[in-house]
C-alpha cells in the first residue's frame, strides 16, 4: 500500500511529464527550447528531463507547504507552481521528498537535480535558466486555459484530451 506522500509525488511527477508534450503541440516551441538548451551547454535529453523534474519538485514543494493531499493536488494553481519554480531555493525544492521513488526515472532525475544544485558554479546558472524555462512553460500552458486561475487539474484534463497516459 502506498502512502499519501508517495501518491502526492506521483501526481507531481505526472504534472512534470505532461508539460513539455502539451507545450509542444505547437511544434516550433520544441525547436526553440532545444536551441536554448544547446546554447546554454545543456544536453537536450538531460535538460528536458530536468525541466520535468524541476516542475515536479516545484509542485511538490507548494503542495507540501500548503498541506495538500494527493487527492487535493488538482486544485493547486499553476501560477503557484510557476512562482515556486523561480522563487524557491534549490534546497527548498528538495525538502520533504519521498525516501524512495516508485519510478526509477524519478529517483535518477532527482539525484541529477540534487547534483546540479550542490555543485554550484556553472551548474547553478543552468538551474536558474531551467527554472525560468519551467515558469515560462507553466505560464504558457496556463494562458491556454479559459479559466481565470488554471490549476494542475486543468492541465491533467488537457493531458487526458491529448491522449497522454499516466
Amino acid at each position: 500500500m502506498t502512502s499519501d506522500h508517495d501518491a502526492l509525488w506521483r501526481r507531481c511527477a505526472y504534472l512534470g511529464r505532461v508539460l513539455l508534450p502539451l507545450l509542444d503541440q505547437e511544434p516550433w516551441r520544441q525547436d526553440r527550447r532545444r536551441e536554448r538548451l544547446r546554447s546554454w551547454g545543456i544536453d537536450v535529453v538531460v535538460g528536458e528531463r530536468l525541466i520535468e523534474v524541476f516542475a515536479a519538485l516545484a509542485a511538490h514543494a507548494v503542495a507540501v507547504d500548503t498541506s495538500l493531499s494527493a487527492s487535493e493536488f488538482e486544485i493547486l494553481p499553476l501560477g503557484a507552481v510557476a512562482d515556486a519554480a523561480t522563487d524557491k531555493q534549490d534546497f527548498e525544492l528538495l525538502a520533504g521528498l519521498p525516501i524512495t521513488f516508485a519510478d526509477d526515472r524519478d529517483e535518477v532525475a532527482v539525484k541529477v537535480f540534487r547534483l546540479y544544485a550542490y555543485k554550484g558554479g556553472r551548474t547553478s546558472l543552468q538551474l536558474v535558466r531551467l527554472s525560468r524555462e519551467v515558469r515560462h512553460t507553466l505560464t504558457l500552458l496556463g494562458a491556454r486555459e479559459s479559466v481565470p486561475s488554471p490549476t494542475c487539474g486543468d492541465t491533467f484534463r488537457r493531458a487526458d484530451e491529448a491522449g497522454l497516459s499516466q
Side-chain angles (χ1 to χ4, degrees):
M1 184 174 236
T2 61
S3 71
D4 189 62
H5 192 84
D6 293 333
L8 176 62
W9 170 256
R10 280 196 307 280
R11 299 302 286 160
C12 296
Y14 177 62
L15 176 69
R17 280 193 298 279
V18 299
L19 292 181
L20 295 181
L22 287 174
L23 186 68
D24 293 348
Q25 289 177 341
E26 297 172 308
W28 61 271
R29 292 198 184 275
Q30 181 182 59
D31 294 337
R32 278 215 184 134
R33 179 182 60 254
R34 290 179 171 180
E35 184 179 305
R36 275 191 307 276
L37 289 171
R38 283 190 287 273
S39 74
W40 296 335
I42 301 173
D43 177 80
V44 170
V45 173
V46 172
E48 289 183 343
R49 185 62 180 125
L50 282 170
I51 289 168
E52 291 175 11
V53 78
F54 211 125
L57 289 168
H60 187 266
V62 176
V64 169
D65 287 351
T66 57
S67 301
L68 285 180
S69 67
S71 62
E72 298 169 317
F73 181 74
E74 293 192 9
I75 67 169
L76 184 65
L78 285 181
V81 178
D83 289 344
T86 54
D87 295 348
K88 288 195 175 283
Q89 298 292 321
D90 304 333
F91 63 88
E92 292 177 290
L93 295 175
L94 292 167
L97 289 176
I99 295 168
T100 59
F101 296 87
D103 184 338
D104 290 340
R105 279 188 58 205
D106 290 342
E107 185 170 1
V108 169
V110 168
K111 286 179 179 179
V112 170
F113 182 92
R114 190 174 278 128
L115 285 172
Y116 269 57
Y118 294 126
K119 189 172 181 182
R122 178 182 150 113
T123 56
S124 291
L125 174 60
Q126 290 176 336
L127 282 181
V128 169
R129 289 174 171 160
L130 290 170
S131 74
R132 290 183 189 142
E133 194 70 25
V134 170
R135 182 182 190 88
H136 177 70
T137 299
L138 289 163
T139 302
L140 286 173
L141 290 176
R144 290 181 183 172
E145 295 295 332
S146 58
V147 295
S149 182
T151 64
C152 292
D154 295 320
T155 303
F156 292 157
R157 179 188 44 76
R158 203 170 263 258
D160 287 343
E161 291 168 0
L164 300 173
S165 65
Q166 290 193 36

